[in-house]
Amino acid sequence: MLSFILRRLLISIPTLLLVSVMVFLLLKLLPGDPALALAGQEPDPEVIEFIRAKYGLDQPLPVQYVTWLGGILQGDFGTSIRTRLPIGEMIAERLPVTLQLSLQAMVIALLIGIPAGVVAAIKRGTFIDYTVSLIGLGGLSIPSFWLGIMLILFFAVSLGWLPSGGYVSFVESPIDNLRYTLLPSLVLGTAAAAIVMRHTRSSMISVLKQDFIRTARAKGLKENIVVIRHALRNGLIPVVTTSTLHLGELLSGAVLTEQVFGIPGFGKMIVDGVFSRDYAVVQAVVMCSAVIFILLSLIADIAYVILSPRLRS
Amino acid sequence: MSDTAAPLAAPRAARKSGIRRALSHPSTIIGGTLVLFFCLVAIFAPLIAPFDPTASNWGLVRQAPSAAHWFGTDDLGRDVLSRVIYGARASLAAGIIAVAIAIALGVPLGLIAGYFGGIVDMVISRITDALLAVPFLVLAIALAAFLGASLQNAMIAIGVSATPIFIRLTRGQVLSIRNEDYVTAVRALGVRDRHIIMSHILPNVLAPIVVQGTITMAVAVLAEASLAFLGLGQRPPAPSWGSMLDISRQFLTEAPWMSVWPGVAIIAVVLGFNLLGDGLNDTLTPQQDGD
């Protein structure tokens, strides 16, 4: 098991290095001289030279890359030109917000997606199956920002039950935190629920065809027990893996959801970075999402090995 | 003559029945109708739209839906229905062109990686892995931001972000048939690699690419709307569903109708492509357990 984890970790190193090269080049290929941008209007040539030397912009590209990568490995992503804060600190502050949203969304997704998928699989080919499947496809087709706007319109503008946007941290007030994160989590959870539902359905359909299910039924076990204790246990294994991987996609979805609800999270960071031309922030967000995704796929692989006994040896 | 024609005719007949089966699948019919409807709306927008989508009218600012303006008017007094109709153009163009870019880049790279293997495969596959490690929308936002905000750049950004999906899919398909007897046979005959790839490999990996292409169009339409919503797509005043929704957020209490219809249109188009993709998947690709 340990050697499996180590091997998987080793494989992901070249991928991460490649991501870092691409992210680095993306910024370098930008038209415009960052030293000029930093020097302000009507800059002194000496000032420009000073900035170039200070930020290492006069060095050859490979040297600049190694310096940049060395910094990142120590958690130094540079400084945001908008907030003047170290980007590493900004990430450390904002990532937990998005993580909370994503986890709440995943809970919603599993609570809706798994039962719906199981029901659709058991009732395969019936009206119930078609309805659940169509709703699932609908969930995949709704733009998250529009769903967010509609929920704000209904729960905040019309009913006035929940705030239309903003954020309060859990430490400040757990209840307010929940009030502010409920709608965004629901938005994020909708598409995730649809994906969980589709995976559960197809996985359950293939498990229900297997011999051990027939054996369980032949033993005279109640259908409920066959479905829940025998089929679901096996059927959920791929669902766990895909859900873990999907947590990475939720980060992506958080970009729009946080924008709609004005939540100062990791996703909104990239949007703010784009609009204030704070490209070091954009770079850092892209790099971090890749690291998170690779970590999640590692966890998914490990979970798969732990959950399916056939692969354990 | 008939002896040689028979074996050739067989696969064609089989393919035809696959298409016929696809065309009679309810998902394909409903999805195809939705997509076709919006294509027609986009093409004939000037004939259908009751008003000029960009003409502002200060006397008609934020009017609720009425007989004259079915979907109401927006913050500049423009007819929302006409803007939704014209918005179909940006949306569908983005979906189709982005996927065309992704296929044009991804399929050849996947064919090369899968067919030749070795170091070429390793390089292409590692780059694909690296691109796939960045969440789709994050990559598209970063690329669109670096390219500059415009519909054209949004299409390029979405297309490039979707490319690794097609590289991986095509490569996998090629690997699964590369050592089939008929490929070995033509290779033994001394046929050139280029000809083998184009005439013997490509036709046999096309079905999953078509299915993936359709599903990716749904993703691309959503992505275009998302980029436009963030201000990274179609430039105003040209209408785009995503940017209409972005503006509507400022008037949720005064003009809620502004925020409803562009979203409904996005859902309809995306659902159309998703249904079409599901239907094609059920009928064109070999049935997998559980689908």
Tab-separated table of all heavy atoms in Angstrom, chain A residues 242-274:
chain	number	residue	atom	x	y	z
A	242	THR	N	-15.318	8.825	-8.159
A	242	THR	CA	-15.676	9.951	-9.023
A	242	THR	C	-16.059	11.169	-8.194
A	242	THR	O	-15.767	12.296	-8.595
A	242	THR	CB	-16.841	9.603	-9.971
A	242	THR	OG1	-17.850	8.953	-9.218
A	242	THR	CG2	-16.389	8.716	-11.092
A	243	SER	N	-16.684	10.946	-7.023
A	243	SER	CA	-17.055	12.100	-6.197
A	243	SER	C	-15.819	12.823	-5.695
A	243	SER	O	-15.777	14.052	-5.648
A	243	SER	CB	-17.908	11.665	-5.012
A	243	SER	OG	-19.014	10.950	-5.451
A	244	THR	N	-14.804	12.064	-5.321
A	244	THR	CA	-13.564	12.687	-4.865
A	244	THR	C	-12.967	13.535	-5.983
A	244	THR	O	-12.567	14.685	-5.772
A	244	THR	CB	-12.546	11.604	-4.455
A	244	THR	OG1	-13.214	10.650	-3.660
A	244	THR	CG2	-11.397	12.204	-3.694
A	245	LEU	N	-12.931	12.946	-7.190
A	245	LEU	CA	-12.396	13.690	-8.322
A	245	LEU	C	-13.243	14.920	-8.592
A	245	LEU	O	-12.738	15.977	-8.956
A	245	LEU	CB	-12.382	12.810	-9.572
A	245	LEU	CG	-11.214	11.854	-9.689
A	245	LEU	CD1	-11.350	11.021	-10.934
A	245	LEU	CD2	-9.905	12.628	-9.715
A	246	HIS	N	-14.556	14.758	-8.374
A	246	HIS	CA	-15.442	15.862	-8.688
A	246	HIS	C	-15.272	17.038	-7.733
A	246	HIS	O	-15.597	18.168	-8.074
A	246	HIS	CB	-16.886	15.400	-8.710
A	246	HIS	CG	-17.785	16.430	-9.297
A	246	HIS	ND1	-17.794	16.694	-10.638
A	246	HIS	CD2	-18.632	17.305	-8.734
A	246	HIS	CE1	-18.626	17.686	-10.869
A	246	HIS	NE2	-19.159	18.071	-9.736
A	247	LEU	N	-14.756	16.758	-6.559
A	247	LEU	CA	-14.476	17.820	-5.608
A	247	LEU	C	-13.558	18.865	-6.256
A	247	LEU	O	-13.667	20.066	-5.999
A	247	LEU	CB	-13.821	17.218	-4.367
A	247	LEU	CG	-14.153	17.805	-2.999
A	247	LEU	CD1	-15.636	17.962	-2.794
A	247	LEU	CD2	-13.572	16.923	-1.902
A	248	GLY	N	-12.653	18.401	-7.110
A	248	GLY	CA	-11.777	19.315	-7.848
A	248	GLY	C	-12.564	20.192	-8.804
A	248	GLY	O	-12.290	21.378	-8.952
A	249	GLU	N	-13.573	19.581	-9.464
A	249	GLU	CA	-14.402	20.355	-10.372
A	249	GLU	C	-15.236	21.386	-9.618
A	249	GLU	O	-15.581	22.435	-10.141
A	249	GLU	CB	-15.330	19.433	-11.172
A	249	GLU	CG	-14.646	18.717	-12.313
A	249	GLU	CD	-14.031	19.687	-13.316
A	249	GLU	OE1	-14.738	20.609	-13.760
A	249	GLU	OE2	-12.844	19.543	-13.644
A	250	LEU	N	-15.584	21.049	-8.365
A	250	LEU	CA	-16.372	21.987	-7.563
A	250	LEU	C	-15.602	23.282	-7.351
A	250	LEU	O	-16.172	24.370	-7.309
A	250	LEU	CB	-16.738	21.373	-6.219
A	250	LEU	CG	-17.869	20.363	-6.240
A	250	LEU	CD1	-18.131	19.827	-4.849
A	250	LEU	CD2	-19.132	20.984	-6.801
A	251	LEU	N	-14.290	23.176	-7.231
A	251	LEU	CA	-13.460	24.368	-7.115
A	251	LEU	C	-13.673	25.269	-8.311
A	251	LEU	O	-13.759	26.486	-8.204
A	251	LEU	CB	-11.989	23.973	-7.070
A	251	LEU	CG	-11.445	23.477	-5.747
A	251	LEU	CD1	-10.006	23.087	-5.908
A	251	LEU	CD2	-11.575	24.575	-4.720
A	252	SER	N	-13.759	24.607	-9.492
A	252	SER	CA	-13.987	25.315	-10.727
A	252	SER	C	-15.351	26.002	-10.695
A	252	SER	O	-15.498	27.170	-11.053
A	252	SER	CB	-13.916	24.297	-11.854
A	252	SER	OG	-13.725	24.870	-13.077
A	253	GLY	N	-16.363	25.254	-10.240
A	253	GLY	CA	-17.703	25.815	-10.150
A	253	GLY	C	-17.769	26.948	-9.141
A	253	GLY	O	-18.560	27.875	-9.271
A	254	ALA	N	-16.886	26.874	-8.122
A	254	ALA	CA	-16.895	27.897	-7.080
A	254	ALA	C	-16.533	29.266	-7.640
A	254	ALA	O	-16.928	30.284	-7.087
A	254	ALA	CB	-15.929	27.506	-5.965
A	255	VAL	N	-15.798	29.298	-8.751
A	255	VAL	CA	-15.426	30.573	-9.361
A	255	VAL	C	-16.683	31.404	-9.621
A	255	VAL	O	-16.785	32.560	-9.214
A	255	VAL	CB	-14.665	30.342	-10.689
A	255	VAL	CG1	-14.415	31.661	-11.385
A	255	VAL	CG2	-13.366	29.606	-10.438
A	256	LEU	N	-17.666	30.771	-10.298
A	256	LEU	CA	-18.878	31.504	-10.660
A	256	LEU	C	-19.778	31.732	-9.454
A	256	LEU	O	-20.338	32.813	-9.281
A	256	LEU	CB	-19.640	30.727	-11.726
A	256	LEU	CG	-18.919	30.649	-13.062
A	256	LEU	CD1	-19.432	29.492	-13.879
A	256	LEU	CD2	-19.084	31.953	-13.808
A	257	THR	N	-19.923	30.683	-8.623
A	257	THR	CA	-20.827	30.795	-7.485
A	257	THR	C	-20.352	31.892	-6.540
A	257	THR	O	-21.152	32.692	-6.056
A	257	THR	CB	-20.889	29.445	-6.756
A	257	THR	OG1	-21.100	28.420	-7.730
A	257	THR	CG2	-22.000	29.426	-5.748
A	258	GLU	N	-19.062	31.933	-6.267
A	258	GLU	CA	-18.538	32.954	-5.367
A	258	GLU	C	-18.690	34.345	-5.968
A	258	GLU	O	-18.908	35.324	-5.250
A	258	GLU	CB	-17.075	32.665	-5.039
A	258	GLU	CG	-16.927	31.458	-4.132
A	258	GLU	CD	-15.475	31.064	-3.898
A	258	GLU	OE1	-14.573	31.732	-4.434
A	258	GLU	OE2	-15.253	30.076	-3.193
A	259	GLN	N	-18.602	34.410	-7.293
A	259	GLN	CA	-18.788	35.691	-7.963
A	259	GLN	C	-20.226	36.176	-7.775
A	259	GLN	O	-20.465	37.330	-7.452
A	259	GLN	CB	-18.441	35.534	-9.454
A	259	GLN	CG	-18.594	36.790	-10.276
A	259	GLN	CD	-17.529	37.817	-9.947
A	259	GLN	OE1	-16.563	37.532	-9.254
A	259	GLN	NE2	-17.719	39.027	-10.425
A	260	VAL	N	-21.196	35.253	-7.958
A	260	VAL	CA	-22.607	35.623	-7.836
A	260	VAL	C	-22.938	36.055	-6.404
A	260	VAL	O	-23.639	37.042	-6.186
A	260	VAL	CB	-23.517	34.450	-8.256
A	260	VAL	CG1	-24.975	34.766	-7.955
A	260	VAL	CG2	-23.346	34.145	-9.722
A	261	PHE	N	-22.427	35.304	-5.419
A	261	PHE	CA	-22.793	35.573	-4.037
A	261	PHE	C	-21.806	36.493	-3.318
A	261	PHE	O	-21.961	36.747	-2.128
A	261	PHE	CB	-22.932	34.253	-3.261
A	261	PHE	CG	-24.147	33.457	-3.655
A	261	PHE	CD1	-24.056	32.465	-4.613
A	261	PHE	CD2	-25.379	33.702	-3.074
A	261	PHE	CE1	-25.170	31.735	-4.991
A	261	PHE	CE2	-26.498	32.983	-3.443
A	261	PHE	CZ	-26.393	31.990	-4.408
A	262	GLY	N	-20.812	36.963	-4.048
A	262	GLY	CA	-19.850	37.875	-3.445
A	262	GLY	C	-19.109	37.270	-2.267
A	262	GLY	O	-18.926	37.912	-1.241
A	263	ILE	N	-18.705	36.019	-2.404
A	263	ILE	CA	-18.002	35.342	-1.318
A	263	ILE	C	-16.494	35.438	-1.555
A	263	ILE	O	-16.016	35.076	-2.639
A	263	ILE	CB	-18.439	33.870	-1.227
A	263	ILE	CG1	-19.897	33.822	-0.799
A	263	ILE	CG2	-17.567	33.083	-0.262
A	263	ILE	CD1	-20.478	32.456	-0.835
A	264	PRO	N	-15.758	35.920	-0.582
A	264	PRO	CA	-14.310	36.100	-0.788
A	264	PRO	C	-13.548	34.786	-0.678
A	264	PRO	O	-12.793	34.572	0.255
A	264	PRO	CB	-13.919	37.049	0.348
A	264	PRO	CG	-14.906	36.751	1.431
A	264	PRO	CD	-16.176	36.343	0.765
A	265	GLY	N	-13.752	33.902	-1.637
A	265	GLY	CA	-13.098	32.595	-1.594
A	265	GLY	C	-11.989	32.477	-2.624
A	265	GLY	O	-11.595	33.456	-3.259
A	266	PHE	N	-11.525	31.246	-2.780
A	266	PHE	CA	-10.422	30.935	-3.684
A	266	PHE	C	-10.845	31.166	-5.139
A	266	PHE	O	-10.075	31.654	-5.956
A	266	PHE	CB	-10.049	29.469	-3.453
A	266	PHE	CG	-8.893	28.982	-4.250
A	266	PHE	CD1	-7.628	29.484	-4.023
A	266	PHE	CD2	-9.060	27.995	-5.210
A	266	PHE	CE1	-6.548	29.006	-4.749
A	266	PHE	CE2	-7.985	27.514	-5.931
A	266	PHE	CZ	-6.735	28.020	-5.701
A	267	GLY	N	-12.100	30.813	-5.443
A	267	GLY	CA	-12.583	30.959	-6.816
A	267	GLY	C	-12.684	32.419	-7.227
A	267	GLY	O	-12.342	32.788	-8.352
A	268	LYS	N	-13.142	33.258	-6.299
A	268	LYS	CA	-13.296	34.673	-6.632
A	268	LYS	C	-11.927	35.334	-6.810
A	268	LYS	O	-11.792	36.338	-7.498
A	268	LYS	CB	-14.090	35.387	-5.537
A	268	LYS	CG	-14.641	36.722	-5.986
A	268	LYS	CD	-15.648	37.256	-4.998
A	268	LYS	CE	-16.255	38.567	-5.456
A	268	LYS	NZ	-15.269	39.583	-5.770
A	269	MET	N	-10.920	34.706	-6.191
A	269	MET	CA	-9.565	35.240	-6.270
A	269	MET	C	-9.091	35.329	-7.724
A	269	MET	O	-8.478	36.317	-8.128
A	269	MET	CB	-8.640	34.315	-5.476
A	269	MET	CG	-7.396	34.960	-4.979
A	269	MET	SD	-6.542	33.818	-3.864
A	269	MET	CE	-4.874	34.292	-4.207
A	270	ILE	N	-9.418	34.280	-8.517
A	270	ILE	CA	-8.942	34.296	-9.907
A	270	ILE	C	-9.668	35.389	-10.691
A	270	ILE	O	-9.070	36.090	-11.509
A	270	ILE	CB	-9.077	32.910	-10.589
A	270	ILE	CG1	-8.350	32.912	-11.931
A	270	ILE	CG2	-10.510	32.490	-10.772
A	270	ILE	CD1	-8.274	31.561	-12.604
A	271	VAL	N	-10.973	35.573	-10.405
A	271	VAL	CA	-11.736	36.603	-11.112
A	271	VAL	C	-11.202	37.991	-10.749
A	271	VAL	O	-10.944	38.825	-11.624
A	271	VAL	CB	-13.235	36.499	-10.771
A	271	VAL	CG1	-14.012	37.573	-11.499
A	271	VAL	CG2	-13.759	35.126	-11.138
A	272	ASP	N	-10.999	38.221	-9.461
A	272	ASP	CA	-10.427	39.503	-9.031
A	272	ASP	C	-9.058	39.710	-9.667
A	272	ASP	O	-8.719	40.816	-10.102
A	272	ASP	CB	-10.293	39.555	-7.506
A	272	ASP	CG	-11.651	39.533	-6.814
A	272	ASP	OD1	-12.650	39.788	-7.513
A	272	ASP	OD2	-11.705	39.251	-5.606
A	273	GLY	N	-8.269	38.644	-9.712
A	273	GLY	CA	-6.936	38.719	-10.292
A	273	GLY	C	-6.991	39.107	-11.758
A	273	GLY	O	-6.230	39.953	-12.228
A	274	VAL	N	-7.950	38.500	-12.486
A	274	VAL	CA	-8.076	38.791	-13.906
A	274	VAL	C	-8.420	40.252	-14.115
A	274	VAL	O	-7.853	40.937	-14.966
A	274	VAL	CB	-9.160	37.878	-14.537
A	274	VAL	CG1	-9.623	38.433	-15.866
A	274	VAL	CG2	-8.629	36.465	-14.690
